[in-house]
Amino acid sequence: MPVDNILQINGTLIWYYYICKREVWLISHAIEADQGNELLEIGRIIHESTYKRSRKEISIGNIKVDMIGKQGEKIVIGEIKKTSRFTDSARMQLAFYLLELENRGIEAIGYLNFPKEKKKLKVGLDKETRRELEEAVEGIREIYLLKKPPVPVKNKYCRKCAYQEFCWA
């Protein structure tokens, strides 16, 4: 059976692929993070309390876009992030959304929004980003097919991770 019939690649998996491969395995196997984690709570609050006028969350297939609107004739999607610390993973997550929309015949432009920092970053799809997304999707599929999660690898994000008990308890 093809992996795609089992695993729906989504923005969350793309995001974590650039942060922690073990977390990709845990999420893809429906193992939930500690929902009481302080940083998850802060993220939810920021998500719910910012960009109220332009916020129109929408689900399309396996993606959930934080904001969608129009800029002239162009569709604009936006992703709200707590901090720019994870810009690379956030950029690839948003690029994945742009590619998914493009595959459905919808041309859009994207912006990463960091409300606490009052920053906005435009994200687009170029040849290199498309290649990188292909590699990430294939990497996620390979991780998912592992019988056990990859061994934990300590990185700078571990200390505040909602999955840390699965790695370091």
Side-chain angles (χ1 to χ4, degrees), residues 86-147:
F86 303 98
T87 299
D88 290 337
S89 56
R91 182 182 64 81
M92 294 309 293
Q93 178 184 16
L94 187 54
F96 177 76
Y97 293 161
L98 290 169
L99 186 59
E100 286 292 301
L101 290 173
E102 184 181 275
N103 290 338
R104 289 172 168 76
I106 301 168
E107 198 173 319
I109 54 175
Y111 288 95
L112 288 174
N113 299 280
F114 307 102
K116 283 177 68 179
E117 300 171 9
K118 294 180 174 45
K119 288 168 93 175
K120 191 175 190 175
L121 177 67
K122 187 175 182 177
V123 174
L125 284 173
D126 58 21
K127 192 175 182 175
E128 177 61 23
T129 302
R130 290 171 191 274
R131 184 196 58 72
E132 196 173 335
L133 279 171
E134 281 180 26
E135 289 176 7
V137 166
E138 186 55 37
I140 290 167
R141 288 180 177 135
E142 289 172 8
I143 291 167
Y144 174 74
L145 290 173
L146 296 173
K147 294 204 186 304

Side-chain angles (χ1 to χ4, degrees), residues 68-90:
I68 190 164
K70 286 191 95 172
Q71 195 175 65
E73 293 300 309
K74 287 272 190 182
I75 291 177
V76 177
I77 63 171
E79 193 60 23
I80 301 168
K81 296 299 182 187
K82 178 176 49 189
T83 175
S84 60
R85 231 174 106 199
F86 303 98
T87 299
D88 290 337
S89 56

Side-chain angles (χ1 to χ4, degrees), residues 2 17 24-25 32 40 48 50 59 62 94 102 104 111 114 121 123-124 150 152:
Y17 182 77
V24 168
W25 191 93
E32 243 184 62
L40 287 179
E48 292 167 3
T50 58
S59 294
N62 57 328
L94 187 54
E102 184 181 275
R104 289 172 168 76
Y111 288 95
F114 307 102
L121 177 67
V123 174

